[in-house]
């Protein structure tokens, strides 16, 4: 316990191993959620280009609903519906689906940014639609969306503390637990903030560099 109520390096070093264990769960949830969001977001973006309103209208409604409701509420609600499913799995899936609705818009913009001449060239070469998408359109679209996807990966990483609401012991939960046991909250929460910064800041620099190179 920190009797001074200000700062104790002994407490900070004492809590660090627990926070590093929590960081592993935080990174795992971010990576798995990002994989789900990247794949599902692309599927949504492609499905939204369908000509049938029976596909696009329900999909747009569901996407808007997910975007306009808080992530925390979604986590708790889904966890209550599927009590037999491990909380970490629910957290990864909900994070992935939530961010997929945002990434679908990034993919949509990337697809629309492909020059019209590329479509016309593929048609002139008599390329099948599937091959046109795989060989011409998607490689260029995904390349254009990488900075946007990187920014959402950082945002997802920073929102993993919401997983504490469904009993996932990630980094923030470890800090809260340590504080409850020792009545020292300043050190663990400060260390959590520093660990988030240490991981997310280099990533943000990489994303910024990609934006400059692709501009």
């Amino acid at each position: 316990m920190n009797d001074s109520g200000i700062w104790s390096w002994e407490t900070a070093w004492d809590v660090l191993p627990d926070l590093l264990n929590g960081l592993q769960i935080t990174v795992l949830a971010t990576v798995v959620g990002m994989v789900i969001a990247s794949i599902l977001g692309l599927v949504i973006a492609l499905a939204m280009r369908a000509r049938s309103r029976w596909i696009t209208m329900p999909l747009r409604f569901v996407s808007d609903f997910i975007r306009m409701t808080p992530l925390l509420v979604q986590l708790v609600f889904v966890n209550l519906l599927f009590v037999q499913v491990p909380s970490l799995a629910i957290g990864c899936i909900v994070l992935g689906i939530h961010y997929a609705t945002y990434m679908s818009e990034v993919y949509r913009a990337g697809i629309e940014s492909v020059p019209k001449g590329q479509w016309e060239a593929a048609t002139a070469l008599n390329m099948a639609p599937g091959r046109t998408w795989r060989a011409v359109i998607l490689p260029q679209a995904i390349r254009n969306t990488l900075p946007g996807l990187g920014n959402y990966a950082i945002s997802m990483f920073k929102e993993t503390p919401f997983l504490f609401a469904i009993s996932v012991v990630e980094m923030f939960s470890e800090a809260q637990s340590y504080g409850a046991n020792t009545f020292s909250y300043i050190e663990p929460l400060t260390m959590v903030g520093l660990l988030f910064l240490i991981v997310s800041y280099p990533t943000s620099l990489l994303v910024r560099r990609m934006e400059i190179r692709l501009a």
Side-chain angles (χ1 to χ4, degrees), residues 29-63:
T30 303
V31 171
V32 176
M34 190 64 187
V35 170
I36 295 172
S38 300
I39 297 172
L40 183 58
L42 180 58
V43 172
I44 294 173
L46 294 176
M48 289 297 293
R49 296 180 63 86
R51 296 181 180 180
S52 173
R53 289 190 175 184
W54 293 102
I55 297 176
T56 58
M57 289 183 66
L59 195 55
R60 189 180 303 278
F61 172 80
V62 172
S63 296

Side-chain angles (χ1 to χ4, degrees), residues 19 21-22 24 29 32 35 45 87 90 113 125 135 137 142 161 179 181 191 202 205-206 209-210:
L19 297 183
N21 289 333
Q24 295 179 27
V32 176
V35 170
S87 296
I90 288 177
S113 70
L125 292 172
I137 306 303
I142 292 175
N181 292 329
M191 295 293 284
L205 292 179
L206 178 61
R209 187 173 181 180
M210 282 194 302

Side-chain angles (χ1 to χ4, degrees), residues 158-215:
K158 293 188 295 184
E159 290 201 330
T160 52
F162 284 135
L163 298 179
F164 87 95
I166 58 173
S167 303
V168 175
V169 185
E170 40 67 59
M171 192 160 50
F172 179 76
S173 298
E174 290 281 12
Q176 289 281 73
S177 177
Y178 184 90
N181 292 329
T182 63
F183 301 101
S184 298
Y185 287 94
I186 294 177
E187 293 86 357
L189 292 178
T190 302
M191 295 293 284
V192 167
L194 289 174
L195 288 172
F196 269 109
L197 180 63
I198 289 170
V199 176
S200 60
Y201 184 66
T203 308
S204 68
L205 292 179
L206 178 61
V207 171
R208 194 175 306 166
R209 187 173 181 180
M210 282 194 302
E211 290 176 343
I212 293 173
R213 290 188 65 181
L214 295 175

Side-chain angles (χ1 to χ4, degrees), residues 64-85:
D64 289 343
F65 178 83
I66 292 174
R67 280 197 294 263
M68 294 177 187
T69 52
L71 174 61
L72 181 60
V73 174
Q74 294 171 14
L75 285 166
V76 174
F77 182 76
V78 175
N79 191 55
L80 291 173
L81 283 180
F82 302 97
V83 292
Q84 303 299 327
V85 179

